[in-house]
Amino acid sequence: MSPAITLSALNKSFGSKRAVIDLDLQVPRGALYGIIGPNGAGKSTSLRMILSILFPDSGRIGVLGEDSALKAKDRIGYLPEERGVYRKMRIADFLLHMAVLKSVPRATARARVREWLERVGLPEVANKRAEELSKGMQQKIQFIAAVIHQPELLILDEPFSGLDPVNMRLLRDLIVAEHQRGTTILFSTHVMQQAEQLCQHIVMIHDGRKVLDDTLATIQSRHAPRSLRFLPLDPQADVAAALQPLPGITNISQVDGNWQIGLDPAANPAALVQSVAAALAPARLELLRPNLEDIFIGIVHGSHSAAEQTAA
């Protein structure tokens, strides 16, 4: 079976600004991919080219076995970064309209509208106009509009933007449920933690270029632990005095009720774990690998350093 998405040597410029540069990407069917990077990195431009909203200056695109998303539009769901609902339409009518546009039979669409409004906790808004809803409510309605036709491919551009923590968790659970249904999901975010919580596979983009493309587990395994999280069995123990003399420890600080122990890059993490446990009995002791944000910053700073050396 062909991949859900194939991009080959994709390029897009706006005037003198190169927004996407030689982008290659394959997203297998049934995968959950996150595209991460800072604002302006080229994430939204890439998604819009996949969807044939924008067209590349050069390169090839394949979507669900077709050479254009336009040929597979009824099998694709899309939540754009720029939110927008038909403000004067009643919510049930709006969702029914969106479902029918995607070739869902009207009777089936009506049933799905009721089911989805229940799922997102908004059954009472069916007869309200969109302009009467809060931004968070409107965003949930737009998510329903993106998935009501049960798409094979779901593309989400900054889906968590503007949501409070409760609704953020709800939306995350709904995305996971869609993925479990078999949907291929590709979403962009500049908040690395969201991608870390959701994604099997991470694609990092910086200044229009892909700088990383791998599974989350592989990315994390490549980066050595930089610190330990420690909680002593004896809450009265003088942790700093007991552990600071150990070789390989650079600093000790308290973070969120635990002790965080910085490791010398040259130190052996496994040996340090044993040394710490021998010095103070632990109630909790774990190695902490860099998170995606740390890894991304390291990649970006490394590319800047290389560019500076080249210029010099």
Side-chain angles (χ1 to χ4, degrees):
M1 184 180 291
S2 62
I5 297 170
T6 303
L7 308 181
S8 179
L10 217 59
N11 286 276
K12 182 66 178 177
S13 296
F14 299 98
S16 61
K17 169 67 175 175
R18 297 187 71 190
V20 175
I21 304 168
D22 295 328
L23 178 60
D24 295 316
L25 181 65
Q26 276 205 354
V27 180
R29 296 193 188 230
L32 203 172
Y33 270 47
I35 297 183
I36 64 176
N39 290 328
K43 305 186 301 297
S44 293
T45 300
S46 300
L47 297 187
R48 289 169 187 160
M49 285 192 288
I50 292 169
L51 289 159
S52 296
I53 296 170
L54 295 173
F55 295 96
D57 300 330
S58 61
R60 292 183 291 110
I61 299 174
V63 181
L64 297 178
E66 306 286 356
D67 59 6
S68 167
L70 297 176
K71 296 178 181 178
K73 59 184 179 61
D74 288 352
R75 299 153 60 199
I76 301 171
Y78 175 46
L79 179 67
E81 183 179 13
E82 298 84 9
R83 310 293 188 251
V85 293
Y86 299 160
R87 297 184 59 80
K88 298 296 182 182
M89 283 188 76
R90 299 190 188 279
I91 295 303
D93 293 339
F94 167 70
L95 293 174
L96 179 64
H97 173 68
M98 298 303 290
V100 171
L101 281 179
K102 293 289 188 175
S103 302
V104 180
R106 191 170 291 270
T108 303
R110 285 198 183 95
R112 288 185 188 174
V113 168
R114 289 193 296 271
E115 291 166 7
W116 268 106
L117 289 175
E118 289 282 353
R119 285 184 70 178
V120 302
L122 295 175
E124 74 285 354
V125 308
N127 292 315
K128 290 188 176 182
R129 300 183 191 280
E131 63 186 1
E132 299 175 58
L133 305 187
S134 68
K135 288 183 178 179
M137 289 179 179
Q138 289 183 21
Q139 193 160 338
K140 287 194 281 187
I141 297 303
Q142 285 199 272
F143 179 80
I144 296 173
V147 300
I148 197 166
H149 57 298
Q150 297 183 344
E152 295 175 41
L153 171 63
L154 179 60
I155 294 180
L156 308 169
D157 197 353
E158 299 286 357
F160 302 103
S161 177
L163 290 179
D164 60 61
V166 172
N167 284 317
M168 198 177 291
R169 175 171 290 187
L170 170 64
L171 184 56
R172 189 166 65 235
D173 291 344
L174 293 173
I175 292 171
V176 169
E178 282 298 299
H179 180 238
Q180 291 172 342
R181 188 177 63 79
T183 308
T184 304
I185 298 177
L186 178 65
F187 84 92
S188 78
T189 180
H190 66 278
V191 182
M192 313 277 172
Q193 185 180 5
Q194 294 167 354
E196 222 162 3
Q197 291 170 342
L198 265 175
C199 293
Q200 303 166 327
H201 197 108
I202 299 295
V203 177
M204 289 186 181
I205 295 181
H206 176 58
D207 286 345
R209 295 183 185 276
K210 185 177 74 174
V211 295
L212 194 59
D213 180 357
D214 219 328
T215 66
L216 180 59
T218 301
I219 291 168
Q220 291 174 329
S221 69
R222 285 200 203 110
H223 293 79
R226 295 179 180 175
S227 61
L228 300 174
R229 182 181 288 135
F230 177 73
L231 188 65
L233 194 59
D234 177 6
Q236 305 302 318
D238 189 342
V239 174
L243 301 184
Q244 192 67 65
L246 297 178
I249 289 178
T250 58
N251 59 79
I252 300 175
S253 59
Q254 277 195 297
V255 179
D256 298 329
N258 294 281
W259 291 88
Q260 191 151 315
I261 302 167
L263 307 184
D264 188 305
N268 182 327
L272 265 176
V273 167
Q274 294 177 341
S275 298
V276 169
L280 271 181
R284 179 181 188 180
L285 179 57
E286 61 179 316
L287 286 167
L288 298 179
R289 293 188 181 275
N291 58 31
L292 279 178
E293 184 173 340
D294 295 331
I295 293 168
F296 182 78
I297 289 172
I299 290 171
V300 171
H301 284 176
S303 67
H304 283 173
S305 298
E308 289 165 4
Q309 291 172 7
T310 302

